Amino acid sequence: MHKLIPNLSKNFGIAGSLIITGSIAFWLFGMIILPQLIMIDFSFRPFLPLNKIGGPDDIYTLKNYIVLFTNEFHRAIFIKTIWSSVLVTITALIVCYPIAFYLAKVARGTRFSLILIGLVIPYWINELLRIFAWQLILADTGVLNQLLLAMNVASDPINFRAGNGAVLLGMVYAYILFMVFPLYNAMESLDRNQIDAAHDLGASRFQIHKRIVIPHCKPGIAVGCIMTFMLAAGSIAAPQLLGSPSSFWFSQIIYTNFECANWNQGAAYAMVLTVLCLAFIFAMLKIFKVNLKEIAK
Amino acid sequence: MNQYPGQDIEIIDVGMMYEGSAKPAIKGINVHIKAGEFFSFLGPSGCGKTTILRLVSGFLDPTDGKILIGGKDMRGIGPNKRPTAMIFQNLALFPLMTVAENIGFGLEMRGASLAERRKKAGELLELVDLPGVENKKVNDLSGGQRQRVAIARGLAVEPSVLLLDEPLSALDLKLRQHMRTELRQINKRTGVTFIYITHDQGEALTMSDRIGVMASDGTIEQIATADHLYNNPRTAFVADFVGKNNKIKATVKTIKNGHAVVETSFGLIKGLNPQQLSSGQQAFAFVRPEVISVAGSSENSKNIITCRVKNISFEGAFVTITLDAGGEDTLFMRTHNDGSALFPAIDSEIDVSFGQHNTRLLAGRGYGHA
């Protein structure tokens, strides 16, 4: 780090290196750290009418955080969001593991390229539109219901969007790549001979994955789970578009608070969500016994 | 100690054609490897040696012919169900496991208890002369030690056949030579059948009971013991590939009870005609450098040719002299340094001789005159 400035000025001159380091510093402080600090500040202040802001009532308080424990509805949704995000993460892991393994160790040539293209192309479309597409599929008059009715499997349209199912499905679909690629990266680096050696020594397919592939992929699994969990926990589009009243998401509460101008409450809940995600990261690192450095690889 | 009785391996008319490939990787392979034998497949890279190993281990099933182990047809039986264990070229030890866990892996898959696995690992480490490293990580071991762990891991499942895919190629020369003796000893001590593949003839010649020499087109040229292979190569390819050999372009002139006289750029040469070449046929005369010597008197049963000395290379115990006779072929002659330091002068003319029974006239695929 201490060599950064001399190296930069050698390559770009004094002015150039000042511009580079200056813009990085602006981005870091102005765009990331400062907004967060403002949010933290907001979160510890009470929600007051405009004329009272800065007045004697405007003191630091934990009130906004305590609401989470006193408001039963919010607390239930918070816990449900955690639980559902874990469910999304586990489902994504189960769905993506075979895909990643097939890509990394089995598929060759054209087949590999086709699967890769098939995975990536949907991501050229905005997340919102992808979720709208699921809405079209799952709606009462949607593609799936019409198909089932035409095939006489169902006599009345099924309400797929009741409960959590549609939201979870939409999220798993939306975040597949964030799980596939970390897994793929980790599996790619596994020596094919290790799989063959284990097989040769008598291991079944299941044993090969349990003893060789999964232990090798731990960092990849951790990264994939962290990404998917954070995206799911903070997701707004999927619950908004695919959800029913019973599938309210914590991020929707935050959104509503900001919408109703109660920034303080919204900021506090946003902080809670951030801390939750951080806690999840550390839990993952602990569970998979990996450190940040391995993950950065 | 014969605790793992080896089994016969019969490779019968085996051919392998990979999907999407235009020509077979191997074809018409017929070998009967005896229980407890140390058998090597020797051939240039890309000749299909590894394919044979993967066929025997069960990672592949042959497109033609069949493979029997202990008299039992192995078709459709996966690598985890065959009485074989493979030592991979890069060893493929499991880096996240300790030495003992590596060695015990096969037993673990068979449901053996931890105590059993530890005991076996201890015994095998003893066998491969590497006691006391049970709890080390494999990455903390040296190349030679890893080698031994890989062998111990393979032997732990008590295979009838150990398949070795050039496992010594990553080691330095000295260790490699040491491991050759070691492997040979483990083979004899355990009684397990060893199938070894290599492109290094030194390795194959020193370790093997028998060697199958393979040509680039995936066929076997000759199967024989090391000395037989060296002294009685059956085809031009084997004569050329195994050991150093002089290869002299020759055209057959006359033939007579097992011998033939050929015309070469060194004049007429008489030699053995094991392939029964007929007169007018193009072939090569093969003469080992060490059977050529400076001609003395009364050597009428030998080939005697007059050459010019092009170069003398002194190697200590041996001296290699490069000779030619104005033609396109050169002749290498290798003699013992007897201490007299009486070497012919460069550009001088000398007569050299070599026995007719040491001269073999051979032809074969890929050995036409260009």
Side-chain angles (χ1 to χ4, degrees), chain A residues 191 193-205 207-208 210-212 215-216, chain B residues 54 59 79-80 84-86 88 90 92-97 105-106 108-110 153:
Chain A
D191 174 15
N193 281 348
Q194 298 221 347
I195 296 174
D196 283 351
H199 195 36
D200 189 51
L201 289 168
S204 64
R205 238 169 246 277
Q207 284 168 321
I208 291 172
K210 186 174 153 228
R211 295 288 276 123
I212 308 296
H216 176 87
Chain B
R54 295 185 78 82
F59 288 110
N80 51 340
T84 60
M86 180 130 150
F88 290 80
N90 67 354
L93 293 173
F94 307 130
L96 300 175
M97 301 182 199
F105 185 84
E108 184 190 333
M109 296 302 113
R110 285 159 177 76
R153 186 179 70 174

Side-chain angles (χ1 to χ4, degrees), chain B residues 7-53:
Chain B
Q7 287 187 4
D8 282 27
I9 295 122
E10 291 160 80
I11 301 175
I12 301 165
D13 285 330
V14 163
M16 182 69 203
M17 185 94 153
Y18 286 106
E19 221 176 297
S21 164
K23 60 184 191 54
I26 54 166
K27 59 187 179 203
I29 306 287
N30 272 297
V31 195
H32 184 156
I33 300 166
K34 303 264 177 3
E37 191 174 10
F38 196 127
F39 191 95
S40 294
F41 286 100
L42 171 67
S45 54
C47 72
K49 309 182 292 274
T50 305
T51 300
I52 293 187
L53 220 53

Side-chain angles (χ1 to χ4, degrees), chain A residues 63-297:
Chain A
K63 205 177 128 256
N64 295 324
Y65 288 90
I66 291 166
V67 177
L68 184 60
F69 299 96
T70 53
N71 184 328
E72 240 170 76
F73 177 61
H74 286 186
R75 194 178 60 210
I77 285 175
F78 180 63
I79 290 167
K80 195 215 72 180
T81 300
I82 298 174
W83 164 237
S84 299
S85 300
V86 168
L87 212 61
V88 168
T89 307
I90 292 171
T91 313
L93 181 60
I94 292 169
V95 170
C96 296
Y97 184 90
I99 299 176
F101 185 75
Y102 188 80
L103 270 178
K105 286 288 164 256
V106 185
R108 295 271 172 279
T110 358
R111 197 169 293 177
F112 175 82
S113 315
L114 281 177
I115 296 172
L116 209 60
I117 290 170
L119 280 169
V120 171
I121 280 185
Y123 283 76
W124 293 356
I125 303 163
N126 186 292
E127 183 190 334
L128 218 55
L129 294 179
R130 270 180 286 141
I131 289 169
F132 262 123
W134 274 107
Q135 204 182 27
L136 294 178
I137 296 171
L138 299 176
D140 288 355
T141 52
V143 182
L144 191 57
N145 265 321
Q146 282 180 3
L147 197 71
L148 292 177
L149 289 175
M151 283 164 63
N152 279 327
V153 177
S155 50
D156 290 309
I158 299 164
N159 185 5
F160 291 112
R161 291 169 56 202
N164 268 328
V167 177
L168 301 192
L169 179 71
M171 283 192 195
V172 170
Y173 174 73
Y175 307 134
I176 270 186
L177 273 200
F178 297 92
M179 185 63 95
V180 165
F181 280 124
L183 289 180
Y184 169 78
N185 263 339
M187 286 175 184
E188 234 268 301
S189 66
L190 176 64
D191 174 15
R192 172 86 228 184
N193 281 348
Q194 298 221 347
I195 296 174
D196 283 351
H199 195 36
D200 189 51
L201 289 168
S204 64
R205 238 169 246 277
F206 173 74
Q207 284 168 321
I208 291 172
H209 283 279
K210 186 174 153 228
R211 295 288 276 123
I212 308 296
V213 185
I214 293 176
H216 176 87
C217 293
K218 271 183 180 174
I221 295 174
V223 172
C225 288
I226 287 170
M227 295 230 260
T228 310
F229 178 85
M230 298 215 304
L231 287 166
S235 174
I236 182 89
Q240 198 94 330
L241 295 175
L242 295 174
S244 60
S246 65
S247 67
F248 220 58
W249 216 252
F250 195 61
S251 53
Q252 287 175 289
I253 299 181
I254 299 174
Y255 179 79
T256 319
N257 272 310
F258 277 99
E259 217 177 21
C260 310
N262 189 348
W263 284 36
N264 309 82
Q265 186 64 62
Y269 279 6
M271 280 303 132
V272 170
L273 196 59
T274 309
V275 171
L276 170 72
C277 289
L278 284 174
F280 186 82
I281 293 177
F282 287 111
M284 277 303 166
L285 297 184
K286 195 102 190 150
I287 289 170
F288 289 105
K289 294 195 184 72
V290 285
N291 53 38
L292 278 172
K293 215 171 108 190
E294 278 177 86
I295 281 188
K297 276 195 287 191

Side-chain angles (χ1 to χ4, degrees), chain A residues 29-42:
Chain A
F29 290 105
M31 318 280 261
I32 298 175
I33 296 177
L34 195 62
Q36 292 292 334
L37 288 176
I38 292 172
M39 290 284 275
I40 292 173
D41 179 66
F42 263 90

